[in-house]
Amino acid sequence: MSHNIFGHVFRISTFGESHGPAIGCIIDGCPPGLEIDADEIRLDLQRRATGKTRHTSQRREKDDVQILSGVFEGKTTGTPIALLIENTDARSRDYENIKRQFRPGHADYTYWKKYGFRDYRGGGRSSARETTMRVAAGVLAKKWLKLNHSIEIQGWLAQLGPIRTDEVMDWDSIERNPFFCPDPAKVTELEKYMDALRKSGDSVGARVNVIARHVPAGLGAPIYGKLDADLASAMMSINAAKGVEIGAGFDSVAQKGTEHRDEMTQRGFLSNHAGGVLGGISSGQDVIVSTAFKPTSSLRIPCQGLDIDGNEVEIVTKGRHDPCVGIRATPIVEAMMALVLMDHILLHRAQNG
Ligand code: EPS
């Protein structure tokens, strides 16, 4: 399986399966001298982890990351940084019944069609477990961006199923509830909705937004190296992602030019429908990306499906699944934003000095 490497100059290569012995990544191209320790990485990993509240999967992984190389006396050395996390709470027997079956809506089917092989345990490589290493690598990128360019990145839950959650933006509230919801008044509604959903055995989608502040103008390149194209690719590479918008995104369809254009004054832009990117190059405005996540396909509610011999069978999935993967996606979209921005700053430096 090729294509496990992300980025151009600042690159990560992730490996591992959900129920294998470990997951890990190699970060290549990190500048030397960045202070980092495993505890800093663990903090963000805990924001993404399962088993923290009743609203997510109850699998309890310690996500006890080890730094195996590339860091000496607390600082990056410029050599490859290897990170490793052992899987300690996989329950592979839950997947015995779908060993020869495809869950409708899941990558089970397409992995089988492509490779003729499939690690059916927990979705193998297609599992959301893989996002752990993106978040781990993202910690280094976020820190580097903050220290060197004052860039700050924050994600939030914008919608869960039918519930809009960001009509009121209280930035301080995002980290104070299990949903990364910026509107404290919506948290009880989210809890009730998720409790009922979990009892019903169904799942639901979500929209997760991320903003990067203090991004300098000039990142990204025409035509095939557009910043927004790389951001879209980064977000679409996350498990269960089904749509990405930059700035006004699909709302642009119904807008008039007079409404969409971001007027410019000596005091700055008067709006930000562009989401901080014009012609694929950052404008100096905040970069804003929105990602849609589909409902989880592993459900205990029976449905029609096929087995690997083409027989029609009833599919029921066991295991400890997330009723809404979007709940844990905020740290992941932040990490992807950080990986792309750091990569583009280093690319810009390579060309423009
Ligand atoms: C996942 C299914 C569940 C989640 C897992 C993602 O795991 P299991 O294989 O135990 O049923 O717990 O998420 C994580 C372990 C994680 O760290 O994010 C899936 O099918 O994607």
Side-chain angles (χ1 to χ4, degrees):
M1 189 200 271
S2 58
H3 289 84
N4 292 283
I5 299 173
F6 181 81
H8 304 92
V9 177
F10 182 75
R11 316 177 88 187
I12 67 162
S13 172
T14 72
F15 62 87
E17 285 81 28
S18 183
H19 289 215
I23 51 174
C25 77
I26 308 285
I27 305 169
D28 200 9
C30 185
L34 178 69
E35 276 184 32
I36 197 78
D37 67 37
D39 282 340
E40 279 176 273
I41 302 175
R42 286 184 191 116
L43 281 180
D44 241 14
L45 291 177
Q46 290 310 305
R47 292 172 72 224
R48 192 215 65 94
T50 51
K52 296 286 158 201
T53 75
R54 66 185 187 278
H55 307 299
T56 61
S57 160
Q58 293 304 298
R59 180 167 160 179
R60 285 172 206 274
E61 288 293 343
K62 289 195 199 75
D63 286 347
D64 194 11
V65 67
Q66 298 173 59
I67 303 176
L68 301 184
S69 73
V71 177
F72 181 63
E73 294 179 340
K75 289 184 179 165
T76 58
T77 58
T79 60
I81 300 164
L83 305 178
L84 192 84
I85 294 175
E86 286 176 27
N87 290 325
T88 54
D89 189 30
R91 230 168 43 191
S92 300
R93 65 179 182 277
D94 288 344
Y95 289 86
E96 273 297 315
N97 66 321
I98 58 145
K99 192 174 182 173
R100 296 171 56 79
Q101 301 176 342
F102 306 116
R103 285 165 283 183
H106 197 277
D108 285 342
Y109 179 67
T110 46
Y111 271 53
W112 178 258
K113 282 287 178 191
K114 183 172 178 67
Y115 301 107
F117 287 97
R118 167 169 79 102
D119 181 351
Y120 63 88
R121 306 163 309 159
R125 183 79 180 140
S126 72
S127 168
R129 181 100 188 105
E130 187 272 342
T131 61
T132 317
M133 297 321 301
R134 302 165 185 241
V135 171
V139 170
L140 281 89
K142 278 200 227 178
K143 187 167 185 187
W144 186 88
L145 290 166
K146 177 95 189 283
L147 288 176
N148 294 281
H149 296 273
S150 307
I151 294 175
E152 284 172 8
I153 296 172
Q154 178 69 59
W156 70 91
L157 180 76
Q159 184 167 343
L160 184 150
I163 308 171
R164 272 291 305 271
T165 50
D166 67 348
E167 280 156 331
V168 172
M169 284 300 291
D170 174 355
W171 294 97
D172 293 335
S173 128
I174 295 173
E175 300 294 329
R176 292 202 192 122
N177 66 79
F179 304 100
F180 300 95
C181 172
D183 181 353
K186 289 286 172 78
V187 174
T188 309
E189 192 181 346
L190 288 170
E191 281 174 337
K192 279 190 188 145
Y193 182 88
M194 286 306 301
D195 285 342
L197 183 78
R198 198 174 61 252
K199 278 190 198 111
S200 76
D202 217 334
S203 63
V204 78
R207 175 193 280 266
V208 180
N209 293 358
V210 59
I211 187 168
R213 297 191 177 90
H214 310 132
V215 177
L219 304 185
I223 299 283
Y224 301 113
K226 290 184 172 181
L227 180 63
D228 42 2
D230 277 2
L231 285 168
S233 165
M235 300 308 168
M236 280 305 291
S237 74
I238 302 171
N239 316 63
K242 275 293 175 195
V244 180
E245 294 183 334
I246 313 287
F250 280 86
D251 284 346
S252 312
V253 175
Q255 288 177 334
K256 300 262 172 58
T258 45
E259 190 187 345
H260 181 84
R261 64 187 176 184
D262 300 313
E263 292 183 71
M264 301 158 88
T265 71
Q266 287 178 344
R267 287 166 289 117
F269 293 88
L270 297 185
S271 54
N272 189 6
H273 295 115
V277 188
L278 293 166
I281 297 174
S282 60
S283 63
Q285 285 198 279
D286 295 341
V287 174
I288 302 169
V289 183
S290 185
T291 305
F293 292 94
K294 74 181 173 87
T296 327
S297 50
S298 302
L299 302 173
R300 63 169 202 264
I301 301 172
C303 72
Q304 297 178 66
L306 295 177
D307 68 16
I308 58 173
D309 299 317
N311 302 309
E312 290 187 0
V313 287
E314 183 183 78
I315 312 277
V316 175
T317 314
K318 297 178 197 158
R320 299 161 290 177
H321 298 286
D322 292 89
C324 175
V325 280
I327 293 177
R328 297 195 288 124
T330 292
I332 307 169
V333 298
E334 289 175 359
M336 296 317 289
M337 172 74 94
L339 295 177
V340 171
L341 290 180
M342 181 163 175
D343 193 29
H344 272 274
I345 288 178
L346 295 175
L347 279 164
H348 181 72
R349 191 195 273 180
Q351 183 178 22
N352 292 38

PDB file of all heavy atoms in Angstrom, residues 132-156:
ATOM      1  N   THR A 132      -4.273   9.252  15.133  1.00  0.00           N
ATOM      2  CA  THR A 132      -3.461   9.509  16.333  1.00  0.00           C
ATOM      3  C   THR A 132      -2.102  10.086  15.940  1.00  0.00           C
ATOM      4  O   THR A 132      -1.617  11.053  16.548  1.00  0.00           O
ATOM      5  CB  THR A 132      -3.226   8.182  17.101  1.00  0.00           C
ATOM      6  OG1 THR A 132      -4.429   7.455  17.151  1.00  0.00           O
ATOM      7  CG2 THR A 132      -2.716   8.428  18.496  1.00  0.00           C
ATOM      8  N   MET A 133      -1.490   9.488  14.925  1.00  0.00           N
ATOM      9  CA  MET A 133      -0.129   9.911  14.571  1.00  0.00           C
ATOM     10  C   MET A 133      -0.109  11.264  13.874  1.00  0.00           C
ATOM     11  O   MET A 133       0.868  11.996  13.964  1.00  0.00           O
ATOM     12  CB  MET A 133       0.548   8.849  13.687  1.00  0.00           C
ATOM     13  CG  MET A 133       0.732   7.516  14.351  1.00  0.00           C
ATOM     14  SD  MET A 133       1.197   7.513  16.110  1.00  0.00           S
ATOM     15  CE  MET A 133       2.725   8.405  16.137  1.00  0.00           C
ATOM     16  N   ARG A 134      -1.209  11.608  13.199  1.00  0.00           N
ATOM     17  CA  ARG A 134      -1.283  12.951  12.598  1.00  0.00           C
ATOM     18  C   ARG A 134      -1.302  13.987  13.713  1.00  0.00           C
ATOM     19  O   ARG A 134      -0.664  15.043  13.613  1.00  0.00           O
ATOM     20  CB  ARG A 134      -2.551  13.106  11.777  1.00  0.00           C
ATOM     21  CG  ARG A 134      -2.708  12.095  10.665  1.00  0.00           C
ATOM     22  CD  ARG A 134      -4.150  12.159  10.225  1.00  0.00           C
ATOM     23  NE  ARG A 134      -4.469  11.158   9.239  1.00  0.00           N
ATOM     24  CZ  ARG A 134      -4.898  11.430   8.014  1.00  0.00           C
ATOM     25  NH1 ARG A 134      -5.042  12.666   7.622  1.00  0.00           N
ATOM     26  NH2 ARG A 134      -5.204  10.467   7.185  1.00  0.00           N
ATOM     27  N   VAL A 135      -2.084  13.686  14.760  1.00  0.00           N
ATOM     28  CA  VAL A 135      -2.172  14.627  15.879  1.00  0.00           C
ATOM     29  C   VAL A 135      -0.809  14.754  16.568  1.00  0.00           C
ATOM     30  O   VAL A 135      -0.369  15.853  16.919  1.00  0.00           O
ATOM     31  CB  VAL A 135      -3.282  14.197  16.875  1.00  0.00           C
ATOM     32  CG1 VAL A 135      -3.252  15.035  18.137  1.00  0.00           C
ATOM     33  CG2 VAL A 135      -4.647  14.308  16.201  1.00  0.00           C
ATOM     34  N   ALA A 136      -0.124  13.609  16.725  1.00  0.00           N
ATOM     35  CA  ALA A 136       1.201  13.635  17.364  1.00  0.00           C
ATOM     36  C   ALA A 136       2.158  14.515  16.554  1.00  0.00           C
ATOM     37  O   ALA A 136       2.826  15.414  17.102  1.00  0.00           O
ATOM     38  CB  ALA A 136       1.740  12.217  17.480  1.00  0.00           C
ATOM     39  N   ALA A 137       2.210  14.307  15.243  1.00  0.00           N
ATOM     40  CA  ALA A 137       3.101  15.116  14.392  1.00  0.00           C
ATOM     41  C   ALA A 137       2.652  16.570  14.374  1.00  0.00           C
ATOM     42  O   ALA A 137       3.479  17.500  14.345  1.00  0.00           O
ATOM     43  CB  ALA A 137       3.116  14.536  12.976  1.00  0.00           C
ATOM     44  N   GLY A 138       1.340  16.762  14.427  1.00  0.00           N
ATOM     45  CA  GLY A 138       0.777  18.117  14.410  1.00  0.00           C
ATOM     46  C   GLY A 138       1.218  18.943  15.613  1.00  0.00           C
ATOM     47  O   GLY A 138       1.284  20.173  15.530  1.00  0.00           O
ATOM     48  N   VAL A 139       1.516  18.275  16.725  1.00  0.00           N
ATOM     49  CA  VAL A 139       1.966  19.008  17.920  1.00  0.00           C
ATOM     50  C   VAL A 139       3.275  19.744  17.609  1.00  0.00           C
ATOM     51  O   VAL A 139       3.448  20.922  17.972  1.00  0.00           O
ATOM     52  CB  VAL A 139       2.147  18.044  19.124  1.00  0.00           C
ATOM     53  CG1 VAL A 139       2.839  18.743  20.290  1.00  0.00           C
ATOM     54  CG2 VAL A 139       0.795  17.492  19.557  1.00  0.00           C
ATOM     55  N   LEU A 140       4.176  19.074  16.923  1.00  0.00           N
ATOM     56  CA  LEU A 140       5.455  19.722  16.574  1.00  0.00           C
ATOM     57  C   LEU A 140       5.210  20.886  15.617  1.00  0.00           C
ATOM     58  O   LEU A 140       5.793  21.969  15.765  1.00  0.00           O
ATOM     59  CB  LEU A 140       6.422  18.715  15.934  1.00  0.00           C
ATOM     60  CG  LEU A 140       7.122  17.794  16.920  1.00  0.00           C
ATOM     61  CD1 LEU A 140       6.295  16.553  17.167  1.00  0.00           C
ATOM     62  CD2 LEU A 140       8.508  17.398  16.438  1.00  0.00           C
ATOM     63  N   ALA A 141       4.340  20.667  14.632  1.00  0.00           N
ATOM     64  CA  ALA A 141       4.069  21.722  13.645  1.00  0.00           C
ATOM     65  C   ALA A 141       3.409  22.921  14.310  1.00  0.00           C
ATOM     66  O   ALA A 141       3.778  24.071  14.071  1.00  0.00           O
ATOM     67  CB  ALA A 141       3.200  21.164  12.517  1.00  0.00           C
ATOM     68  N   LYS A 142       2.414  22.660  15.163  1.00  0.00           N
ATOM     69  CA  LYS A 142       1.717  23.761  15.845  1.00  0.00           C
ATOM     70  C   LYS A 142       2.703  24.575  16.676  1.00  0.00           C
ATOM     71  O   LYS A 142       2.653  25.808  16.688  1.00  0.00           O
ATOM     72  CB  LYS A 142       0.652  23.195  16.797  1.00  0.00           C
ATOM     73  CG  LYS A 142      -0.646  22.833  16.168  1.00  0.00           C
ATOM     74  CD  LYS A 142      -1.719  22.789  17.264  1.00  0.00           C
ATOM     75  CE  LYS A 142      -2.558  21.569  17.197  1.00  0.00           C
ATOM     76  NZ  LYS A 142      -3.555  21.471  18.248  1.00  0.00           N
ATOM     77  N   LYS A 143       3.589  23.861  17.380  1.00  0.00           N
ATOM     78  CA  LYS A 143       4.541  24.564  18.251  1.00  0.00           C
ATOM     79  C   LYS A 143       5.508  25.401  17.424  1.00  0.00           C
ATOM     80  O   LYS A 143       5.777  26.562  17.746  1.00  0.00           O
ATOM     81  CB  LYS A 143       5.299  23.544  19.119  1.00  0.00           C
ATOM     82  CG  LYS A 143       6.164  24.217  20.154  1.00  0.00           C
ATOM     83  CD  LYS A 143       6.659  23.267  21.197  1.00  0.00           C
ATOM     84  CE  LYS A 143       7.410  24.057  22.260  1.00  0.00           C
ATOM     85  NZ  LYS A 143       8.079  23.189  23.231  1.00  0.00           N
ATOM     86  N   TRP A 144       6.001  24.838  16.348  1.00  0.00           N
ATOM     87  CA  TRP A 144       6.952  25.547  15.476  1.00  0.00           C
ATOM     88  C   TRP A 144       6.285  26.788  14.868  1.00  0.00           C
ATOM     89  O   TRP A 144       6.882  27.869  14.824  1.00  0.00           O
ATOM     90  CB  TRP A 144       7.452  24.588  14.393  1.00  0.00           C
ATOM     91  CG  TRP A 144       8.539  25.163  13.537  1.00  0.00           C
ATOM     92  CD1 TRP A 144       9.882  25.132  13.775  1.00  0.00           C
ATOM     93  CD2 TRP A 144       8.365  25.869  12.293  1.00  0.00           C
ATOM     94  NE1 TRP A 144      10.554  25.773  12.762  1.00  0.00           N
ATOM     95  CE2 TRP A 144       9.649  26.236  11.839  1.00  0.00           C
ATOM     96  CE3 TRP A 144       7.262  26.219  11.519  1.00  0.00           C
ATOM     97  CZ2 TRP A 144       9.868  26.932  10.654  1.00  0.00           C
ATOM     98  CZ3 TRP A 144       7.470  26.917  10.339  1.00  0.00           C
ATOM     99  CH2 TRP A 144       8.756  27.272   9.913  1.00  0.00           C
ATOM    100  N   LEU A 145       5.052  26.630  14.420  1.00  0.00           N
ATOM    101  CA  LEU A 145       4.325  27.757  13.800  1.00  0.00           C
ATOM    102  C   LEU A 145       4.102  28.883  14.817  1.00  0.00           C
ATOM    103  O   LEU A 145       4.234  30.065  14.503  1.00  0.00           O
ATOM    104  CB  LEU A 145       2.966  27.281  13.267  1.00  0.00           C
ATOM    105  CG  LEU A 145       3.000  26.366  12.044  1.00  0.00           C
ATOM    106  CD1 LEU A 145       1.647  25.690  11.836  1.00  0.00           C
ATOM    107  CD2 LEU A 145       3.408  27.135  10.789  1.00  0.00           C
ATOM    108  N   LYS A 146       3.782  28.499  16.039  1.00  0.00           N
ATOM    109  CA  LYS A 146       3.507  29.490  17.093  1.00  0.00           C
ATOM    110  C   LYS A 146       4.800  30.228  17.457  1.00  0.00           C
ATOM    111  O   LYS A 146       4.833  31.468  17.510  1.00  0.00           O
ATOM    112  CB  LYS A 146       2.925  28.744  18.298  1.00  0.00           C
ATOM    113  CG  LYS A 146       2.633  29.574  19.510  1.00  0.00           C
ATOM    114  CD  LYS A 146       1.186  30.019  19.512  1.00  0.00           C
ATOM    115  CE  LYS A 146       0.887  31.041  20.585  1.00  0.00           C
ATOM    116  NZ  LYS A 146       0.756  30.482  21.923  1.00  0.00           N
ATOM    117  N   LEU A 147       5.867  29.476  17.677  1.00  0.00           N
ATOM    118  CA  LEU A 147       7.129  30.092  18.125  1.00  0.00           C
ATOM    119  C   LEU A 147       7.764  30.952  17.043  1.00  0.00           C
ATOM    120  O   LEU A 147       8.293  32.029  17.317  1.00  0.00           O
ATOM    121  CB  LEU A 147       8.135  29.002  18.543  1.00  0.00           C
ATOM    122  CG  LEU A 147       7.827  28.266  19.848  1.00  0.00           C
ATOM    123  CD1 LEU A 147       8.843  27.159  20.073  1.00  0.00           C
ATOM    124  CD2 LEU A 147       7.850  29.247  21.028  1.00  0.00           C
ATOM    125  N   ASN A 148       7.711  30.497  15.814  1.00  0.00           N
ATOM    126  CA  ASN A 148       8.424  31.182  14.734  1.00  0.00           C
ATOM    127  C   ASN A 148       7.590  32.190  13.973  1.00  0.00           C
ATOM    128  O   ASN A 148       8.137  33.100  13.362  1.00  0.00           O
ATOM    129  CB  ASN A 148       9.000  30.157  13.748  1.00  0.00           C
ATOM    130  CG  ASN A 148      10.080  29.320  14.400  1.00  0.00           C
ATOM    131  OD1 ASN A 148      11.209  29.764  14.532  1.00  0.00           O
ATOM    132  ND2 ASN A 148       9.716  28.143  14.846  1.00  0.00           N
ATOM    133  N   HIS A 149       6.257  32.006  13.970  1.00  0.00           N
ATOM    134  CA  HIS A 149       5.411  32.879  13.146  1.00  0.00           C
ATOM    135  C   HIS A 149       4.167  33.374  13.883  1.00  0.00           C
ATOM    136  O   HIS A 149       3.297  33.986  13.247  1.00  0.00           O
ATOM    137  CB  HIS A 149       4.988  32.141  11.863  1.00  0.00           C
ATOM    138  CG  HIS A 149       6.162  31.804  10.998  1.00  0.00           C
ATOM    139  ND1 HIS A 149       6.677  32.676  10.060  1.00  0.00           N
ATOM    140  CD2 HIS A 149       6.952  30.712  10.971  1.00  0.00           C
ATOM    141  CE1 HIS A 149       7.722  32.120   9.479  1.00  0.00           C
ATOM    142  NE2 HIS A 149       7.914  30.933  10.014  1.00  0.00           N
ATOM    143  N   SER A 150       4.078  33.114  15.167  1.00  0.00           N
ATOM    144  CA  SER A 150       2.915  33.519  15.992  1.00  0.00           C
ATOM    145  C   SER A 150       1.590  32.990  15.431  1.00  0.00           C
ATOM    146  O   SER A 150       0.528  33.551  15.696  1.00  0.00           O
ATOM    147  CB  SER A 150       2.818  35.049  16.105  1.00  0.00           C
ATOM    148  OG  SER A 150       4.024  35.574  16.556  1.00  0.00           O
ATOM    149  N   ILE A 151       1.665  31.931  14.628  1.00  0.00           N
ATOM    150  CA  ILE A 151       0.427  31.369  14.054  1.00  0.00           C
ATOM    151  C   ILE A 151      -0.291  30.536  15.112  1.00  0.00           C
ATOM    152  O   ILE A 151       0.323  29.694  15.779  1.00  0.00           O
ATOM    153  CB  ILE A 151       0.735  30.507  12.805  1.00  0.00           C
ATOM    154  CG1 ILE A 151       1.274  31.409  11.692  1.00  0.00           C
ATOM    155  CG2 ILE A 151      -0.499  29.727  12.342  1.00  0.00           C
ATOM    156  CD1 ILE A 151       1.726  30.675  10.447  1.00  0.00           C
ATOM    157  N   GLU A 152      -1.572  30.813  15.267  1.00  0.00           N
ATOM    158  CA  GLU A 152      -2.364  30.062  16.240  1.00  0.00           C
ATOM    159  C   GLU A 152      -3.490  29.331  15.520  1.00  0.00           C
ATOM    160  O   GLU A 152      -4.159  29.903  14.659  1.00  0.00           O
ATOM    161  CB  GLU A 152      -2.953  31.006  17.284  1.00  0.00           C
ATOM    162  CG  GLU A 152      -1.890  31.442  18.269  1.00  0.00           C
ATOM    163  CD  GLU A 152      -2.350  32.521  19.207  1.00  0.00           C
ATOM    164  OE1 GLU A 152      -3.545  32.836  19.206  1.00  0.00           O
ATOM    165  OE2 GLU A 152      -1.474  33.044  19.919  1.00  0.00           O
ATOM    166  N   ILE A 153      -3.679  28.086  15.901  1.00  0.00           N
ATOM    167  CA  ILE A 153      -4.671  27.243  15.219  1.00  0.00           C
ATOM    168  C   ILE A 153      -5.690  26.749  16.238  1.00  0.00           C
ATOM    169  O   ILE A 153      -5.307  26.260  17.305  1.00  0.00           O
ATOM    170  CB  ILE A 153      -3.961  26.054  14.532  1.00  0.00           C
ATOM    171  CG1 ILE A 153      -3.025  26.590  13.428  1.00  0.00           C
ATOM    172  CG2 ILE A 153      -4.963  25.046  13.971  1.00  0.00           C
ATOM    173  CD1 ILE A 153      -2.138  25.555  12.798  1.00  0.00           C
ATOM    174  N   GLN A 154      -6.957  26.893  15.908  1.00  0.00           N
ATOM    175  CA  GLN A 154      -8.020  26.410  16.808  1.00  0.00           C
ATOM    176  C   GLN A 154      -9.157  25.802  15.989  1.00  0.00           C
ATOM    177  O   GLN A 154      -9.633  26.411  15.027  1.00  0.00           O
ATOM    178  CB  GLN A 154      -8.567  27.558  17.652  1.00  0.00           C
ATOM    179  CG  GLN A 154      -9.708  27.180  18.583  1.00  0.00           C
ATOM    180  CD  GLN A 154      -9.284  26.273  19.749  1.00  0.00           C
ATOM    181  OE1 GLN A 154      -8.424  26.663  20.542  1.00  0.00           O
ATOM    182  NE2 GLN A 154      -9.847  25.077  19.824  1.00  0.00           N
ATOM    183  N   GLY A 155      -9.553  24.617  16.371  1.00  0.00           N
ATOM    184  CA  GLY A 155     -10.696  23.975  15.721  1.00  0.00           C
ATOM    185  C   GLY A 155     -11.910  24.011  16.625  1.00  0.00           C
ATOM    186  O   GLY A 155     -11.801  24.307  17.820  1.00  0.00           O
ATOM    187  N   TRP A 156     -13.070  23.705  16.067  1.00  0.00           N
ATOM    188  CA  TRP A 156     -14.291  23.620  16.871  1.00  0.00           C
ATOM    189  C   TRP A 156     -15.365  22.834  16.128  1.00  0.00           C
ATOM    190  O   TRP A 156     -15.312  22.692  14.897  1.00  0.00           O
ATOM    191  CB  TRP A 156     -14.807  25.011  17.242  1.00  0.00           C
ATOM    192  CG  TRP A 156     -15.378  25.828  16.114  1.00  0.00           C
ATOM    193  CD1 TRP A 156     -16.681  25.868  15.709  1.00  0.00           C
ATOM    194  CD2 TRP A 156     -14.676  26.724  15.250  1.00  0.00           C
ATOM    195  NE1 TRP A 156     -16.813  26.746  14.656  1.00  0.00           N
ATOM    196  CE2 TRP A 156     -15.607  27.284  14.349  1.00  0.00           C
ATOM    197  CE3 TRP A 156     -13.332  27.118  15.151  1.00  0.00           C
ATOM    198  CZ2 TRP A 156     -15.246  28.203  13.362  1.00  0.00           C
ATOM    199  CZ3 TRP A 156     -12.971  28.028  14.160  1.00  0.00           C
ATOM    200  CH2 TRP A 156     -13.925  28.554  13.283  1.00  0.00           C
TER     201      TRP A 156
END
